[in-house]
């Protein structure tokens, strides 16, 4: 994740969701931005959605 350009975007969320994300980020010593990205990556992985900017795992030939 580090070292790559980020695409800024606006997001609307309920105060309760934001409070929960802020609390989780604080407990894990992360910024809210980093926590949101981690939560999104985890959700995508659970659904089997590949992330284009991540290198594909190497396969033995």
């Amino acid at each position: 994740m580090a070292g790559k350009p980020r695409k800024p975007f606006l997001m609307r969320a309920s105060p309760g969701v934001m409070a929960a994300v802020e609390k989780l980020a604080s407990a894990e010593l992360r910024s809210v931005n980093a926590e949101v990205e981690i939560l999104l990556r985890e959700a995508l992985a659970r659904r089997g959605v590949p992330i284009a900017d991540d290198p594909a795992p190497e396969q033995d030939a």
Side-chain angles (χ1 to χ4, degrees), residues 1 4-5 9 16 18 20 24 26-27 32 34 41-43 47 49-55 57-58 61:
M1 282 194 293
K4 294 186 179 186
F9 70 98
M18 285 309 299
L24 185 59
S26 177
V32 170
R41 287 176 176 273
E42 289 173 354
R47 291 179 177 223
V49 178
I51 300 172
D53 68 336
D54 286 352
E58 293 183 24

Side-chain angles (χ1 to χ4, degrees), residues 23-40:
K23 185 176 180 179
L24 185 59
S26 177
E28 297 184 358
L29 302 175
R30 293 187 179 114
S31 68
V32 170
N33 247 14
E35 193 64 40
V36 168
E37 183 165 355
I38 287 169
L39 292 169
L40 287 170

